[in-house]
Amino acid sequence: MNVLLDLTIGILTQGFMYALLSYGVYITYKILDFPDLTVDGSFPLGAAVTAVMLTRGVNPYLTLPLVFVVGALAGLLTGWIHVKLGIRDLLAGIITMTALFSINLQIAGSNLIVDRSVDTLFTAAPTMLLLGSFTLIQRKLMVTFLVALVFKILLDLYFKTKNGLLLRAVGDNSVLVTSLAKDKGRVKIIGLVIANALVALSGALVCHEQRAFSSTMGTGQVVFGLATVIIGATLFKKWGFIKGTTAAVAGSIIYKACIQVAISLGLPANLLKLITAVLFLVILVYGNRRKEQVSGHA
Amino acid sequence: MLELRNITKTYNPGTLTEMCLFQDLTMTVEQGEFVSIVGSNGSGKTSLLNIICGSIPVEQGQVLVAGEDITKMEEYKRYQRIGRVYQNPAMGTCPHLTLFENMSLADHKGKSFGLSPGVNRHRLRVYQEQLSLLGLGLENKLDVLVGTLSGGQRQAVALLMATMTPLDFLILDEHTAALDPKTAESIMILTDQMVRRKKLTAIMVTHNLRYAVEYGNRLVMMNQGKIILDLKEDEKRKGSVEDILHIFNEISIECGN
Ligand SMILES: Nc1ncnc2c1ncn2[C@@H]1O[C@H](COP(=O)(O)OP(=O)(O)OP(=O)(O)O)[C@@H](O)[C@H]1O
Ligand SMILES: [Mg+2]
């Protein structure tokens, strides 16, 4: 019974950590209509920066805002390549992602393990003061839930501001944004900056949790992000009042649960990416069908 | 006042498909004029509007507004003082935003889009009043996604949105072409009312010769990148649809269309 409970807590923690990545992909893919592959680079970027800072003794809480800024810069680079140099969206992301692979290794030196003696978000004094009576995995659940919730609320508020409205408008009809005398390129860059800041933050949380950075931990993250956003959107389509951010969290948890179940049933870890790809294909085909049905009515 | 001075525009320069559309084109639109532009397909009407709005660059010549050279000004900056409605009703509104959100966006045109609330409930009444002028019952649909409105409704909203803030020019590119005859007529009447009420300077491209003759106070006919007929107020009033159609046909025959 306890094993099952621990497993559930583990899945939820994973879901909340990666929910930040899902928010990022939700912004680029759903709102901006921009398939942003930067994610595969900005996610491990967050982890690399975190691993180095923790090892150097930086306050674990301070790592989060710093990572946020670094991730924002990655988004800025992709945006700049796309908007100012006129490179297609997919390619702009690929260029940044490829560059980041080297940059991440440059930052971390190599794959890094954060020593057990170093405090993380989950073991630092203030956390212990508040949640010291709980076990480590319970603390992980609570802290990651709190971070995912705070950013969900912040994003939902942002989408309701004038700036957020303009962001939603640019993905919906960029011609109109130009007609409003606004530079649509700048609006897109703002979206990419916010999205990749969130993705890097997700990488930072994962690094705190695993106490490790590996140069390949970004592989497939963009597909994961897309899958969670599409799962969320498909499942909650009927309930119009469910917010995109909520759907992204749910998608993230569901996805992590599926993977966990598959592993528990004895699926070799080597096949994970293959299964992910197949799952993603199924989701896309299913999504397309629904789209056709909808446009068939129009 | 808008001036186009000696505009030269070549599409695909230096390639096999090179095409010189405008050569030394000059045109002036006075404050308060409502110009209808007609001309066969490919005569350069949309290109002309695109040059005015800065959507496409020119090789030579200048675009001046009230004496200021805006030839190098970026497109989005020009829309500070230009409103534009496109042929495609989908271009003038955001389908996945509500009517209220769309109106709020247009209402805020030209100002900075910061972190203040995107919609302002206090403006609701104003929007309802403006929408009720359209006579389409849209004043009760402010919470509806604009994508679910019909093409005609969306075009009416697009027209309203394009004219919400003070403008130097209203640019209309076949903005009734995608609509059924009855809706087209009512959008045209709305346009006319809007132009009169706000004393706008407007440039309207249309394939409907009757609209061109009935509305506006100046009629321009284009052919192969040239202005071949330019009727000002009095001359225009004398002309009938038949006369214009006659000229139109003559040119088409000359050019072997
Ligand atoms: N982007 C482009 N590249 C190359 N040629 C173009 C481009 N846009 C327009 N043209 C050419 O310029 C000419 C004028 O086109 P334009 O769209 O201005 O015509 P129009 O008068 O608006 O026609 P219509 O009544 O069909 O809308 C056409 O011959 C067209 O092929
Ligand atoms: Mg045209």
Side-chain angles (χ1 to χ4, degrees):
Chain A
M1 197 56 220
N2 250 342
V3 179
L4 205 61
L5 187 67
D6 283 359
L7 199 68
T8 313
I9 291 181
I11 288 171
L12 288 174
T13 305
Q14 292 277 321
F16 293 136
M17 288 193 299
Y18 282 88
L20 292 170
L21 188 152
S22 299
Y23 299 156
V25 174
Y26 172 72
I27 290 175
T28 48
Y29 177 73
K30 266 282 180 199
I31 295 185
L32 286 184
D33 198 16
F34 188 114
D36 179 28
L37 298 193
T38 315
V39 171
D40 276 19
S42 51
F43 179 78
L45 173 67
V49 171
T50 306
V52 170
M53 286 197 289
L54 285 179
T55 311
R56 298 260 169 93
V58 176
N59 179 313
Y61 298 99
L62 197 59
T63 60
L64 297 187
L66 290 173
V67 162
F68 196 78
V69 172
V70 174
L73 289 177
L76 185 65
L77 181 63
T78 301
W80 183 77
I81 292 174
H82 173 61
V83 172
K84 301 291 179 206
L85 303 183
I87 309 293
R88 266 179 39 198
D89 46 11
L90 269 176
L91 294 179
I94 289 176
I95 289 169
T96 310
M97 176 189 88
T98 309
L100 280 175
F101 190 85
S102 293
I103 293 172
N104 293 340
L105 275 174
Q106 209 65 35
I107 291 172
S110 64
N111 291 348
L112 264 185
I113 305 276
V114 179
D115 194 82
R116 291 255 152 241
S117 63
V118 177
D119 271 339
T120 66
L121 271 186
F122 313 110
T123 59
T127 308
M128 295 309 282
L129 197 67
L130 278 172
L131 306 170
S133 54
F134 296 97
T135 64
L136 180 61
I137 68 160
Q138 286 169 341
R139 281 197 307 266
K140 283 181 177 175
L141 175 67
M142 291 171 192
V143 173
T144 54
F145 169 72
L146 193 71
V147 177
L149 180 69
V150 165
F151 278 93
K152 180 198 135 51
I153 292 171
L154 283 178
L155 278 178
D156 288 343
L157 287 175
Y158 170 69
F159 292 144
K160 291 213 167 104
T161 65
K162 292 211 166 66
N163 206 268
L165 199 56
L166 203 61
L167 188 78
R168 285 155 67 205
V170 87
D172 212 11
N173 179 2
S174 64
V175 174
L176 182 79
V177 171
T178 308
S179 302
L180 292 172
K182 285 289 149 194
D183 184 355
K184 63 176 184 222
R186 245 185 86 178
V187 182
K188 276 190 197 173
I189 291 176
I190 292 176
L192 284 164
V193 163
I194 299 175
N196 281 290
L198 291 167
V199 171
L201 209 53
S202 176
L205 286 183
V206 171
C207 179
H208 275 279
E209 201 267 341
Q210 296 181 342
R211 293 177 166 275
F213 155 78
S214 91
S215 60
T216 55
M217 69 193 284
T219 313
Q221 295 304 351
V222 79
V223 171
F224 160 79
L226 289 170
T228 59
V229 168
I230 296 172
I231 292 172
T234 312
L235 283 182
F236 297 113
K237 200 168 237 161
K238 289 186 201 83
W239 306 326
F241 59 88
I242 297 276
K243 293 213 167 70
T245 44
T246 313
V249 182
S252 174
I253 293 172
I254 291 168
Y255 189 100
K256 288 295 174 193
C258 291
I259 297 290
Q260 199 51 250
V261 167
I263 290 176
S264 308
L265 292 177
L267 178 88
N270 284 344
L271 289 181
L272 221 56
K273 296 281 187 232
L274 180 64
I275 305 291
T276 303
V278 172
L279 233 150
F280 187 49
L281 182 67
V282 170
I283 295 169
L284 279 182
V285 171
Y286 180 68
N288 263 351
R289 286 262 168 76
R290 291 183 61 120
K291 233 185 233 166
E292 272 164 29
Q293 281 172 3
V294 171
S295 58
H297 282 295
Chain B
M1 189 174 79
L2 169 78
E3 284 177 87
L4 299 174
R5 278 193 201 154
N6 312 99
I7 298 285
T8 300
K9 171 72 202 170
T10 308
Y11 278 117
N12 309 321
T15 67
L16 276 178
T17 53
E18 178 172 302
M19 193 202 84
C20 181
L21 179 61
F22 298 127
Q23 212 160 14
D24 225 17
L25 180 87
T26 295
M27 181 183 177
T28 309
V29 177
E30 299 291 342
Q31 186 75 37
E33 271 186 336
F34 181 172
V35 190
S36 312
I37 303 183
V38 296
S40 51
N41 292 124
S43 55
K45 305 179 298 293
T46 298
S47 303
L48 185 74
L49 299 185
N50 281 340
I51 287 171
I52 295 172
C53 296
S55 326
I56 56 172
V58 295
E59 275 78 57
Q60 272 172 43
Q62 284 137 5
V63 183
L64 295 102
V65 172
E68 186 198 352
D69 188 343
I70 60 161
T71 320
K72 295 259 151 30
M73 192 191 272
E74 275 171 278
E75 180 181 17
Y76 77 91
K77 289 187 183 149
R78 298 192 198 188
Y79 284 112
Q80 199 82 256
R81 305 289 302 175
I82 294 181
R84 188 171 185 176
V85 184
Y86 297 83
Q87 176 175 352
N88 181 352
M91 305 261 282
T93 49
C94 283
H96 292 98
L97 299 186
T98 64
L99 185 52
F100 189 27
E101 287 169 330
N102 270 280
M103 297 289 285
S104 303
L105 279 171
D107 195 16
H108 205 66
K109 169 170 169 170
K111 301 191 204 126
S112 80
F113 283 72
L115 295 179
S116 56
V119 295
N120 181 353
R121 287 267 148 202
H122 297 300
R123 296 286 291 165
L124 202 61
R125 288 225 75 94
V126 180
Y127 300 158
Q128 280 173 334
E129 270 165 34
Q130 289 173 334
L131 284 166
S132 67
L133 290 179
L134 301 176
L136 296 170
L138 290 174
E139 59 275 17
N140 304 320
K141 293 196 170 177
L142 275 152
D143 288 323
V144 161
L145 293 184
V146 168
T148 64
L149 300 179
S150 76
Q153 289 172 327
R154 287 184 74 171
Q155 196 67 324
V157 172
L159 184 65
L160 193 60
M161 284 171 62
T163 53
M164 257 171 116
T165 46
L167 297 176
D168 287 339
F169 301 104
L170 178 61
I171 304 283
L172 308 159
D173 190 358
E174 299 187 41
H175 71 303
T176 60
L179 311 173
D180 74 66
K182 192 159 159 282
T183 314
E185 187 78 45
S186 58
I187 294 284
M188 195 56 239
I189 291 169
L190 272 173
T191 309
D192 194 46
Q193 285 172 352
M194 211 83 94
V195 170
R196 282 168 198 276
R197 188 161 5 106
K198 306 203 171 188
K199 300 195 172 51
L200 295 173
T201 307
I203 305 175
M204 174 180 79
V205 166
T206 178
H207 281 299
N208 188 321
L209 292 179
R210 187 169 66 73
Y211 290 172
V213 170
E214 273 179 27
Y215 297 95
N217 46 24
R218 181 175 167 193
L219 193 154
V220 167
M221 189 183 291
M222 294 186 61
N223 189 44
Q224 298 190 330
K226 292 192 183 62
I227 294 175
I228 51 157
L229 187 73
D230 191 346
L231 301 179
K232 299 276 165 72
E233 188 99 60
D234 307 335
E235 309 158 299
K236 177 171 181 284
R237 214 171 290 138
K238 279 182 243 147
S240 68
V241 178
E242 283 72 32
D243 298 338
I244 306 291
L245 188 63
H246 185 69
I247 303 174
F248 196 93
N249 283 335
E250 258 177 18
I251 298 154
S252 301
I253 291 162
E254 266 174 40
C255 301
N257 272 4

PDB file of all heavy atoms in Angstrom, chain B residues 40-58:
ATOM      1  N   SER B  40      -9.267  46.053 -63.614  1.00  0.00           N
ATOM      2  CA  SER B  40      -9.334  44.604 -63.791  1.00  0.00           C
ATOM      3  C   SER B  40      -8.366  43.888 -62.852  1.00  0.00           C
ATOM      4  O   SER B  40      -7.509  44.521 -62.223  1.00  0.00           O
ATOM      5  CB  SER B  40      -9.016  44.256 -65.246  1.00  0.00           C
ATOM      6  OG  SER B  40      -7.827  44.891 -65.627  1.00  0.00           O
ATOM      7  N   ASN B  41      -8.509  42.596 -62.776  1.00  0.00           N
ATOM      8  CA  ASN B  41      -7.627  41.789 -61.932  1.00  0.00           C
ATOM      9  C   ASN B  41      -6.175  41.997 -62.359  1.00  0.00           C
ATOM     10  O   ASN B  41      -5.868  42.000 -63.542  1.00  0.00           O
ATOM     11  CB  ASN B  41      -7.963  40.297 -62.054  1.00  0.00           C
ATOM     12  CG  ASN B  41      -9.317  39.980 -61.456  1.00  0.00           C
ATOM     13  OD1 ASN B  41     -10.175  39.434 -62.133  1.00  0.00           O
ATOM     14  ND2 ASN B  41      -9.520  40.348 -60.221  1.00  0.00           N
ATOM     15  N   GLY B  42      -5.319  42.175 -61.364  1.00  0.00           N
ATOM     16  CA  GLY B  42      -3.897  42.313 -61.684  1.00  0.00           C
ATOM     17  C   GLY B  42      -3.489  43.697 -62.146  1.00  0.00           C
ATOM     18  O   GLY B  42      -2.372  43.891 -62.609  1.00  0.00           O
ATOM     19  N   SER B  43      -4.389  44.679 -62.033  1.00  0.00           N
ATOM     20  CA  SER B  43      -4.034  46.013 -62.506  1.00  0.00           C
ATOM     21  C   SER B  43      -3.198  46.780 -61.477  1.00  0.00           C
ATOM     22  O   SER B  43      -2.681  47.853 -61.772  1.00  0.00           O
ATOM     23  CB  SER B  43      -5.299  46.798 -62.866  1.00  0.00           C
ATOM     24  OG  SER B  43      -6.175  46.816 -61.769  1.00  0.00           O
ATOM     25  N   GLY B  44      -3.085  46.237 -60.280  1.00  0.00           N
ATOM     26  CA  GLY B  44      -2.186  46.848 -59.298  1.00  0.00           C
ATOM     27  C   GLY B  44      -2.867  47.580 -58.164  1.00  0.00           C
ATOM     28  O   GLY B  44      -2.231  48.357 -57.449  1.00  0.00           O
ATOM     29  N   LYS B  45      -4.138  47.306 -57.943  1.00  0.00           N
ATOM     30  CA  LYS B  45      -4.882  48.026 -56.908  1.00  0.00           C
ATOM     31  C   LYS B  45      -4.373  47.647 -55.510  1.00  0.00           C
ATOM     32  O   LYS B  45      -4.064  48.520 -54.696  1.00  0.00           O
ATOM     33  CB  LYS B  45      -6.388  47.709 -57.029  1.00  0.00           C
ATOM     34  CG  LYS B  45      -6.957  47.999 -58.416  1.00  0.00           C
ATOM     35  CD  LYS B  45      -8.417  47.674 -58.535  1.00  0.00           C
ATOM     36  CE  LYS B  45      -8.751  46.203 -58.310  1.00  0.00           C
ATOM     37  NZ  LYS B  45      -8.226  45.287 -59.362  1.00  0.00           N
ATOM     38  N   THR B  46      -4.310  46.335 -55.274  1.00  0.00           N
ATOM     39  CA  THR B  46      -3.832  45.900 -53.960  1.00  0.00           C
ATOM     40  C   THR B  46      -2.387  46.341 -53.746  1.00  0.00           C
ATOM     41  O   THR B  46      -2.020  46.779 -52.653  1.00  0.00           O
ATOM     42  CB  THR B  46      -3.954  44.371 -53.838  1.00  0.00           C
ATOM     43  OG1 THR B  46      -5.330  44.013 -53.955  1.00  0.00           O
ATOM     44  CG2 THR B  46      -3.431  43.877 -52.515  1.00  0.00           C
ATOM     45  N   SER B  47      -1.581  46.248 -54.795  1.00  0.00           N
ATOM     46  CA  SER B  47      -0.180  46.675 -54.674  1.00  0.00           C
ATOM     47  C   SER B  47      -0.101  48.141 -54.271  1.00  0.00           C
ATOM     48  O   SER B  47       0.729  48.520 -53.437  1.00  0.00           O
ATOM     49  CB  SER B  47       0.554  46.452 -55.994  1.00  0.00           C
ATOM     50  OG  SER B  47       0.471  45.107 -56.384  1.00  0.00           O
ATOM     51  N   LEU B  48      -0.974  48.945 -54.838  1.00  0.00           N
ATOM     52  CA  LEU B  48      -0.994  50.377 -54.512  1.00  0.00           C
ATOM     53  C   LEU B  48      -1.279  50.589 -53.020  1.00  0.00           C
ATOM     54  O   LEU B  48      -0.579  51.337 -52.331  1.00  0.00           O
ATOM     55  CB  LEU B  48      -2.064  51.077 -55.367  1.00  0.00           C
ATOM     56  CG  LEU B  48      -2.128  52.589 -55.231  1.00  0.00           C
ATOM     57  CD1 LEU B  48      -0.962  53.228 -55.955  1.00  0.00           C
ATOM     58  CD2 LEU B  48      -3.440  53.130 -55.788  1.00  0.00           C
ATOM     59  N   LEU B  49      -2.300  49.879 -52.531  1.00  0.00           N
ATOM     60  CA  LEU B  49      -2.643  50.001 -51.109  1.00  0.00           C
ATOM     61  C   LEU B  49      -1.488  49.501 -50.239  1.00  0.00           C
ATOM     62  O   LEU B  49      -1.178  50.090 -49.204  1.00  0.00           O
ATOM     63  CB  LEU B  49      -3.918  49.211 -50.801  1.00  0.00           C
ATOM     64  CG  LEU B  49      -5.192  49.639 -51.541  1.00  0.00           C
ATOM     65  CD1 LEU B  49      -6.380  48.845 -51.040  1.00  0.00           C
ATOM     66  CD2 LEU B  49      -5.441  51.125 -51.367  1.00  0.00           C
ATOM     67  N   ASN B  50      -0.851  48.398 -50.689  1.00  0.00           N
ATOM     68  CA  ASN B  50       0.266  47.848 -49.925  1.00  0.00           C
ATOM     69  C   ASN B  50       1.422  48.838 -49.848  1.00  0.00           C
ATOM     70  O   ASN B  50       2.139  48.892 -48.849  1.00  0.00           O
ATOM     71  CB  ASN B  50       0.744  46.533 -50.553  1.00  0.00           C
ATOM     72  CG  ASN B  50      -0.160  45.375 -50.183  1.00  0.00           C
ATOM     73  OD1 ASN B  50      -0.898  45.446 -49.196  1.00  0.00           O
ATOM     74  ND2 ASN B  50      -0.124  44.312 -50.972  1.00  0.00           N
ATOM     75  N   ILE B  51       1.604  49.604 -50.912  1.00  0.00           N
ATOM     76  CA  ILE B  51       2.680  50.601 -50.909  1.00  0.00           C
ATOM     77  C   ILE B  51       2.338  51.732 -49.943  1.00  0.00           C
ATOM     78  O   ILE B  51       3.177  52.189 -49.170  1.00  0.00           O
ATOM     79  CB  ILE B  51       2.919  51.131 -52.343  1.00  0.00           C
ATOM     80  CG1 ILE B  51       3.616  50.047 -53.163  1.00  0.00           C
ATOM     81  CG2 ILE B  51       3.741  52.416 -52.319  1.00  0.00           C
ATOM     82  CD1 ILE B  51       3.726  50.344 -54.635  1.00  0.00           C
ATOM     83  N   ILE B  52       1.082  52.142 -49.939  1.00  0.00           N
ATOM     84  CA  ILE B  52       0.662  53.200 -49.012  1.00  0.00           C
ATOM     85  C   ILE B  52       0.865  52.754 -47.564  1.00  0.00           C
ATOM     86  O   ILE B  52       1.356  53.503 -46.734  1.00  0.00           O
ATOM     87  CB  ILE B  52      -0.823  53.568 -49.243  1.00  0.00           C
ATOM     88  CG1 ILE B  52      -1.005  54.180 -50.634  1.00  0.00           C
ATOM     89  CG2 ILE B  52      -1.314  54.536 -48.167  1.00  0.00           C
ATOM     90  CD1 ILE B  52      -2.448  54.394 -51.039  1.00  0.00           C
ATOM     91  N   CYS B  53       0.515  51.500 -47.282  1.00  0.00           N
ATOM     92  CA  CYS B  53       0.593  50.994 -45.906  1.00  0.00           C
ATOM     93  C   CYS B  53       1.989  50.511 -45.521  1.00  0.00           C
ATOM     94  O   CYS B  53       2.238  50.193 -44.358  1.00  0.00           O
ATOM     95  CB  CYS B  53      -0.391  49.845 -45.705  1.00  0.00           C
ATOM     96  SG  CYS B  53      -2.098  50.348 -45.893  1.00  0.00           S
ATOM     97  N   GLY B  54       2.866  50.396 -46.505  1.00  0.00           N
ATOM     98  CA  GLY B  54       4.212  49.921 -46.197  1.00  0.00           C
ATOM     99  C   GLY B  54       4.324  48.417 -46.109  1.00  0.00           C
ATOM    100  O   GLY B  54       5.301  47.893 -45.577  1.00  0.00           O
ATOM    101  N   SER B  55       3.329  47.688 -46.633  1.00  0.00           N
ATOM    102  CA  SER B  55       3.404  46.217 -46.601  1.00  0.00           C
ATOM    103  C   SER B  55       4.430  45.704 -47.600  1.00  0.00           C
ATOM    104  O   SER B  55       4.946  44.596 -47.439  1.00  0.00           O
ATOM    105  CB  SER B  55       2.044  45.600 -46.921  1.00  0.00           C
ATOM    106  OG  SER B  55       1.000  46.380 -46.434  1.00  0.00           O
ATOM    107  N   ILE B  56       4.688  46.474 -48.663  1.00  0.00           N
ATOM    108  CA  ILE B  56       5.739  46.101 -49.623  1.00  0.00           C
ATOM    109  C   ILE B  56       6.619  47.321 -49.886  1.00  0.00           C
ATOM    110  O   ILE B  56       6.153  48.457 -49.819  1.00  0.00           O
ATOM    111  CB  ILE B  56       5.150  45.564 -50.961  1.00  0.00           C
ATOM    112  CG1 ILE B  56       4.203  46.597 -51.582  1.00  0.00           C
ATOM    113  CG2 ILE B  56       4.434  44.254 -50.756  1.00  0.00           C
ATOM    114  CD1 ILE B  56       3.733  46.219 -52.975  1.00  0.00           C
ATOM    115  N   PRO B  57       7.909  47.086 -50.161  1.00  0.00           N
ATOM    116  CA  PRO B  57       8.818  48.207 -50.419  1.00  0.00           C
ATOM    117  C   PRO B  57       8.718  48.681 -51.875  1.00  0.00           C
ATOM    118  O   PRO B  57       8.172  47.976 -52.715  1.00  0.00           O
ATOM    119  CB  PRO B  57      10.201  47.591 -50.170  1.00  0.00           C
ATOM    120  CG  PRO B  57      10.035  46.148 -50.502  1.00  0.00           C
ATOM    121  CD  PRO B  57       8.607  45.787 -50.209  1.00  0.00           C
ATOM    122  N   VAL B  58       9.210  49.875 -52.141  1.00  0.00           N
ATOM    123  CA  VAL B  58       9.267  50.365 -53.524  1.00  0.00           C
ATOM    124  C   VAL B  58      10.729  50.589 -53.908  1.00  0.00           C
ATOM    125  O   VAL B  58      11.580  50.774 -53.047  1.00  0.00           O
ATOM    126  CB  VAL B  58       8.483  51.685 -53.695  1.00  0.00           C
ATOM    127  CG1 VAL B  58       7.010  51.461 -53.446  1.00  0.00           C
ATOM    128  CG2 VAL B  58       9.029  52.764 -52.783  1.00  0.00           C
TER     129      VAL B  58
END
